Amino acid sequence: ETALNYWIKWKLDPQVYHLIPDVMLPTSDGTTQIDHVIVSRYGIFVIETKNYKGWIFGREHDAQWTQQNFRRKDRFQNPLRQNYKHTQTLSDLTGIPGDYFISLVVFGGDCTFKTPMPPNVIYPRDLDRFIKRHTEPLIRDEQVGEIVSVIQEWASTVTLKQRLGHVAHVRAKKVTRARSR
């Protein structure tokens, strides 16, 4: 995630594309964590990053995808579904229409898709091209800063206790998956 933050800052004009990294937001069932949000007049890009090795198998509407590293296969939640929750949460909290949000999943690491890459799933090297391909203004320039502030305000409502609980929950899920292999 840190490497992608640097990539975003290097490749995208900060006067046009406003990066908000590591956004944790309250939800009805706890919290959700968004790796990167980029606010621009061309939309609000909600980015989930995945760092995997090996082969990736997954289609847009599959509930689970598979990572194969040599003979070992691990299943994981379809990150497009995970990011759908992120965009819905942002829309619900801020009141911004859902069609202003652009969901994107970036696969880093030494992985290769063995199924066709679903729409809005890319490698890091394609990130700036993907974002710059969106050229139709959706948001007035004067609203961009307001949107950044609203997202940051909602993120500031998450307490340290909630943040620590979220991290513990994610770690527990990883341990449970590792034991079930």
Side-chain angles (χ1 to χ4, degrees):
E1 294 172 24
T2 301
L4 198 62
N5 284 332
Y6 285 117
W7 181 262
I8 291 166
K9 291 175 186 176
W10 180 52
K11 290 288 193 170
L12 298 174
D13 181 351
Q15 298 299 317
V16 178
Y17 301 97
H18 304 270
L19 171 65
I20 311 170
D22 189 23
V23 177
M24 189 166 293
L25 298 171
T27 64
S28 59
D29 59 348
T31 55
T32 192
Q33 187 267 336
I34 306 169
D35 296 332
H36 320 271
V37 177
I38 300 173
V39 181
S40 77
R41 65 189 311 220
Y42 308 109
I44 303 164
F45 299 87
V46 180
I47 305 170
E48 176 65 25
T49 57
K50 296 296 178 188
N51 189 13
Y52 286 107
K53 292 182 180 181
W55 294 344
I56 306 296
F57 301 86
R59 291 182 170 57
E60 181 177 8
H61 299 290
D62 293 345
Q64 298 278 307
W65 289 6
T66 302
Q67 172 195 24
Q68 182 174 343
N69 202 1
F70 297 104
R71 293 178 188 245
R72 181 175 166 171
K73 289 184 180 182
D74 295 305
R75 297 186 59 72
F76 60 98
Q77 179 186 9
N78 177 339
L80 290 168
R81 289 181 175 212
Q82 181 181 5
N83 219 28
Y84 177 78
K85 180 178 182 178
H86 296 158
T87 59
Q88 284 302 117
T89 299
L90 277 168
S91 181
D92 292 347
L93 291 176
T94 63
I96 297 167
D99 55 352
Y100 283 36
F101 295 93
I102 300 151
S103 176
L104 181 60
V105 178
V106 178
F107 270 85
D110 188 20
C111 68
T112 304
F113 266 78
K114 290 304 205 179
T115 52
M117 275 182 122
N120 294 23
V121 177
I122 62 172
Y123 295 115
R125 66 180 176 262
D126 302 317
L127 177 64
D128 59 312
R129 275 186 303 241
F130 178 93
I131 290 175
K132 289 176 181 176
R133 198 172 62 216
H134 293 80
T135 58
E136 185 175 327
L138 301 174
I139 300 167
R140 291 192 320 268
D141 286 333
E142 59 271 13
Q143 290 178 304
V144 171
E146 292 171 17
I147 291 169
V148 169
S149 294
V150 167
I151 293 170
Q152 290 172 330
E153 284 175 32
W154 272 108
S156 73
T157 67
V158 174
T159 65
L160 177 60
K161 182 178 178 180
Q162 287 173 304
R163 189 172 273 279
L164 293 173
H166 181 89
V167 170
H169 176 72
V170 170
R171 285 187 179 145
K173 280 175 39 177
K174 285 182 182 178
V175 168
T176 302
R177 281 196 308 258
R179 287 183 181 156
S180 66
R181 292 185 198 136

